[in-house]
Amino acid sequence: MKSRRRPLFTAAAVLLAAGALRMPLEQAMTEDFREQGLLSRPLELGLKEKLGQNSSAIALAGLRTLVATFTHLKVTEYFSQQKWPDLEKAMNTTVQLAPRGTYYWDIGAWHIGTNASTHYRMEAGLPELRARAEARRWVTKGREFYQRGIRNNPDDWRLRVALGNLCSDVFRFPDDALAVEAYAGAIATGKAPPGVRRALMIAEVRVGKNPEKSLAEVRELLKVPSNRVPTLLCICYVLEQKIHPSDDPVGRSVEIFGSEDKALRNLGSYFLNIYDRLPMEGVETAVRLLEYHRGIRPEDPRSHIRQRDALPARPTRYR
Amino acid sequence: MSHPAKNRPLNPRRIGVITMHTFTQLVRMKVFYFLGVFAVILLGSNLFEIQDLGRPDLEGTDVLRSIRSWSLGTMTLFSVVIGVVATALLLPKDVEDRTLYTILAKPVPRLDYLVGKLGGVLLLIFVSLLVMDLLMAGVLALRTNLVVAEQVAAVTAAGWPAAEIEALRQDTLNQGPTWSLHGAVFVVFLRAAVIASTAMMISTFSTSTLFTTITGFLMYFIGNFQAEARGLYFGEGVSPLEKGAGLLVATIFPDFQLFNVIDNLIEGGHFEGGELPMLIALSGFYVVLHLFVSWIVFAEKEF
């Protein structure tokens, strides 16, 4: 007589044997998928506590991105209420659930580094020194958030450019060396649009890269018509004057800008942009001469020289 | 001239008849009403437009993410629930209706019966997911075009260069309906196929629908911890008891965590190469294994 339990034992043996067979294969697949960024790391215990029992269960049931959508809705709520520490916590939870979601990293770093820092500097009613310290602390947090996002998405150029922009922002305690690193990283992904090369060039000039090398690169960039933007043309003028000083600044400016009118318009605006940490060698002389040719005296309200003298030492948005 | 025996197992026609019968049986249970719920969820996900953030490059993309995430999430829930519940219902219902006796009294191999039943459930899930995928793709295509138009207008007004506008346009289009997103829906189906075959395996030795359903869901949840279980087994500095527990979980339960590649696809990621064929092969392995085990138990079961 056959045992009624024999099929059950046979079935269990088959399951165990197949399990032993597939286990190393599945382990290799898991590691491969994780390496490619297709599969996220398991949720940390701390995160499970933050999410609560229900959301953890949903997240564990293969619905992490859905839970991330909910936690991100909380971020928007905290943004409206300007509850920045809560926003930071919710944003951290969101990115842990969806670490490959570049949108979450971008928007989170922007909330923390830009919106929160502005709030503490301008609106929180703190004493000046404390306001600046708080603003700086949140800008640093914003940069770190971008850097974490970049580590999780190494082939994404947008996050690197956004970090570069934050580090170059005059109102956010600029760090030009970090901006150079960020823009260079974006270009190294091979996906960044040509405009990022210009941003890198400007950041390199700010940190004082070798002027000869910079000039050669600027000349190369200016061969492309879409790169002939005012800032780059002005930088080209400054570098030319620095390396090969000319006795005829007006002639050189016409050579670079195409006309005296355009040279005055571009160099004039550049001359007034004193907060942007750009080199200014020879610009004042050129502006004075170009204005002289147009009959504009330094006392004239239209004169860039006079306008610059009237500028405060710090941007007006600074406290 | 010799003819193959007519009741040779795995006869496609016979399996097809049982599959279609099971499919009809499930359709009569008004399962497709769920598509109405899906449509409501899909429309609802369109409303999650975050307030104006002052970032023209990010404006609107959250809605596209919301549509993808809600749609795939709903598909996952639907397919897992149907995969477990419908399969758990089938065998007990056939016993209750006495249909099983009529079928097995005929020269129908029990393997064909099991394959046909599972085929019916999988056909139902496949058709449902196909309709949901088409609905999602349609809504997503419409919304993506709107978002792209708004973004391009905003960044053009902000004076962005043409190359950057084009890069942004491409990035946003990638958040719309893509082949990888359809691939993600197919992965949802593969996961459902594994959970349905698991439920079928349980139902062959279980005596109640409730037990099968609860055990099926538990297996699904535990299957999402497979990597951790293997980590325990392969890890260092772990006690023999923990190693044994890890080994037991890793060998008995299917690995559902591997199917979570869907999360990355929802975020706009892409299949790089052989991942989808690997998941198809793995799912095929599970379905065949579970059918085989089900057959071992079911073949000699007395009714």
Side-chain angles (χ1 to χ4, degrees):
Chain A
M1 196 180 107
K2 276 202 256 178
S3 161
R4 289 179 68 187
R5 288 189 178 165
R6 203 179 67 181
L8 286 176
F9 287 127
T10 314
V14 170
L15 262 185
L16 286 171
L21 188 75
R22 66 179 162 81
M23 194 166 68
L25 294 173
E26 285 176 340
Q27 180 68 8
M29 264 176 92
T30 304
E31 279 165 17
D32 186 33
F33 283 8
R34 279 187 183 157
E35 210 167 282
Q36 291 179 51
L38 280 169
L39 213 54
S40 304
R41 301 265 158 209
L43 293 183
E44 289 164 15
L45 194 64
L47 183 64
K48 288 172 194 167
E49 281 166 9
K50 275 184 217 162
L51 285 174
Q53 209 172 0
N54 291 338
S55 296
S56 287
I58 296 168
L60 289 170
L63 295 164
R64 279 170 75 146
T65 43
L66 193 59
V67 181
T69 311
F70 286 120
T71 55
H72 186 241
L73 285 175
K74 291 296 282 181
V75 169
T76 313
E77 190 187 321
Y78 293 137
F79 169 56
S80 314
Q81 298 165 352
Q82 299 187 327
K83 290 182 176 174
W84 306 110
D86 291 336
L87 178 144
E88 188 192 7
K89 274 183 208 158
M91 210 62 242
N92 273 317
T93 308
T94 307
V95 293
Q96 282 183 62
L97 285 165
R100 298 283 290 174
T102 52
Y103 171 86
Y104 293 133
W105 289 108
D106 197 349
I107 206 84
W110 181 68
H111 278 316
I112 295 167
T114 302
N115 297 329
S117 72
T118 304
H119 172 83
Y120 282 107
R121 199 178 58 213
M122 312 285 292
E123 294 160 22
L126 298 171
E128 188 175 338
L129 273 178
R130 171 95 196 281
R132 275 181 69 81
E134 274 299 300
R136 185 184 287 273
R137 194 166 71 86
W138 283 87
V139 168
T140 307
K141 281 182 183 206
R143 285 180 192 159
E144 284 167 359
F145 203 82
Y146 271 129
Q147 285 168 326
R148 278 171 56 206
I150 291 166
R151 279 197 294 277
N152 278 281
N153 300 276
D155 52 353
D156 185 80
W157 66 270
R158 282 190 180 282
L159 287 176
R160 292 172 190 274
V161 170
L163 173 63
N165 293 345
L166 180 63
C167 293
S168 304
D169 189 339
V170 66
F171 299 108
R172 319 265 165 232
F173 311 96
D175 181 343
D176 294 318
L178 190 55
V180 168
E181 195 185 306
Y183 290 131
I187 292 166
T189 62
K191 298 171 191 165
V196 182
R197 291 207 82 84
R198 291 200 299 272
L200 172 64
M201 183 71 245
I202 294 168
E204 282 177 344
V205 168
R206 283 190 183 122
V207 291
K209 188 185 168 184
N210 181 337
E212 269 110 9
K213 274 190 185 169
S214 292
L215 180 60
E217 284 170 23
V218 169
R219 281 180 183 154
E220 199 56 39
L221 280 174
L222 289 178
K223 284 180 187 168
V224 180
S226 62
N227 282 334
R228 297 187 68 81
V229 294
T231 310
L232 214 58
L233 289 169
C234 293
I235 287 175
C236 180
Y237 176 84
V238 170
L239 293 173
E240 288 281 9
Q241 282 297 90
K242 198 173 189 175
I243 300 162
H244 317 289
S246 165
D247 293 338
D248 179 15
V250 174
R252 170 161 282 168
S253 68
V254 171
E255 202 178 287
I256 292 172
F257 292 94
S259 69
E260 281 195 24
D261 259 5
K262 193 178 172 192
L264 179 58
R265 208 167 50 242
N266 288 175
L267 281 173
S269 302
Y270 185 86
F271 183 59
L272 292 179
N273 193 7
I274 57 169
Y275 311 116
D276 228 359
R277 311 171 313 287
L278 291 165
M280 287 285 171
E281 282 89 344
V283 178
E284 186 173 348
T285 313
V287 171
R288 279 181 189 277
L289 287 169
L290 285 163
E291 287 187 349
Y292 178 76
H293 282 206
R294 303 271 315 256
I296 301 170
R297 297 169 63 85
E299 303 80 38
D300 194 313
R302 289 175 298 162
S303 166
H304 292 93
I305 305 296
R306 182 179 164 164
Q307 287 175 39
R308 179 168 161 157
D309 286 345
L311 287 175
R314 271 188 192 175
T316 44
R317 279 167 66 194
Y318 258 136
R319 282 178 35 156
Chain B
M1 204 172 110
S2 67
H3 294 280
K6 279 191 176 172
N7 64 344
R8 210 171 106 183
L10 295 175
N11 181 317
R13 204 168 149 214
R14 200 160 41 211
I15 291 171
V17 170
I18 300 171
T19 296
M20 287 318 294
H21 172 262
T22 310
F23 179 73
T24 315
Q25 195 181 358
L26 289 169
V27 170
R28 282 181 186 151
M29 289 181 188
K30 316 265 191 290
V31 173
F32 283 137
Y33 280 16
F34 186 80
L35 292 175
V37 177
F38 178 77
V40 172
I41 291 171
L42 194 58
L43 291 174
S45 66
N46 259 282
L47 304 175
F48 281 91
E49 180 134 28
I50 309 297
Q51 69 211 72
D52 187 6
L53 296 169
R55 287 278 306 268
D57 54 329
L58 295 181
E59 223 63 70
T61 49
D62 203 43
V63 181
L64 304 180
R65 175 169 293 93
S66 169
I67 295 171
R68 290 202 308 270
S69 172
W70 282 75
S71 304
L72 266 298
T74 311
M75 287 182 205
T76 297
L77 278 178
F78 167 83
S79 60
V80 168
V81 171
I82 290 289
V84 173
V85 178
T87 318
L89 271 175
L90 287 177
L91 293 188
K93 192 163 171 32
D94 274 6
V95 174
E96 200 181 301
D97 297 349
R98 309 203 177 274
T99 326
L100 185 71
Y101 307 120
T102 324
I103 297 169
L104 296 184
K106 290 180 176 146
V108 175
R110 292 191 176 195
L111 182 60
D112 288 19
Y113 172 78
L114 291 174
V115 175
K117 283 284 162 191
L118 183 64
V121 175
L122 296 189
L123 183 63
L124 177 92
I125 294 173
F126 185 81
V127 172
S128 308
L129 287 178
L130 186 69
V131 176
M132 289 188 217
D133 185 33
L134 291 174
L135 277 171
M136 175 184 69
V139 170
L140 207 49
L142 281 173
R143 198 65 201 242
T144 307
N145 286 331
L146 282 174
V147 169
V148 167
E150 281 169 13
Q151 280 185 337
V152 169
V155 296
T156 307
W160 280 35
E164 288 186 26
I165 295 175
E166 182 52 28
L168 174 66
R169 208 178 72 85
Q170 281 306 326
D171 263 17
T172 309
L173 285 176
N174 280 341
Q175 306 285 323
T178 58
W179 284 112
S180 283
L181 194 64
H182 295 304
V185 178
F186 190 64
V187 174
V188 171
F189 170 72
L190 293 176
R191 177 161 57 188
V194 177
I195 189 67
S197 66
T198 309
M200 163 146 285
M201 183 177 73
I202 301 167
S203 73
T204 53
F205 60 79
S206 148
T207 46
S208 86
T209 307
L210 195 62
F211 174 82
T212 309
T213 308
I214 293 169
T215 315
F217 282 123
L218 277 177
M219 284 193 87
Y220 178 69
F221 274 100
I222 296 169
N224 273 290
F225 286 99
Q226 274 288 33
E228 283 87 340
R230 281 196 305 271
L232 266 182
Y233 177 69
F234 289 119
E236 284 169 14
V238 181
S239 72
L241 193 70
E242 286 174 319
K243 260 189 192 295
L247 179 67
L248 202 66
V249 171
T251 46
I252 291 180
F253 297 90
D255 186 348
F256 287 110
Q257 209 172 54
L258 281 167
F259 297 94
N260 290 345
V261 293
I262 296 166
D263 286 338
N264 181 46
L265 301 173
I266 292 174
E267 292 303 333
H270 299 281
F271 280 124
E272 300 292 333
E275 299 87 13
L276 190 58
M278 277 161 90
L279 285 172
I280 293 171
L282 182 73
S283 309
F285 173 81
Y286 275 122
V287 171
V288 171
L289 172 72
H290 292 160
L291 271 171
F292 181 62
V293 172
S294 306
W295 174 71
I296 291 173
V297 179
F298 193 65
E300 296 185 21
K301 194 164 182 170
E302 289 172 12
F303 294 96

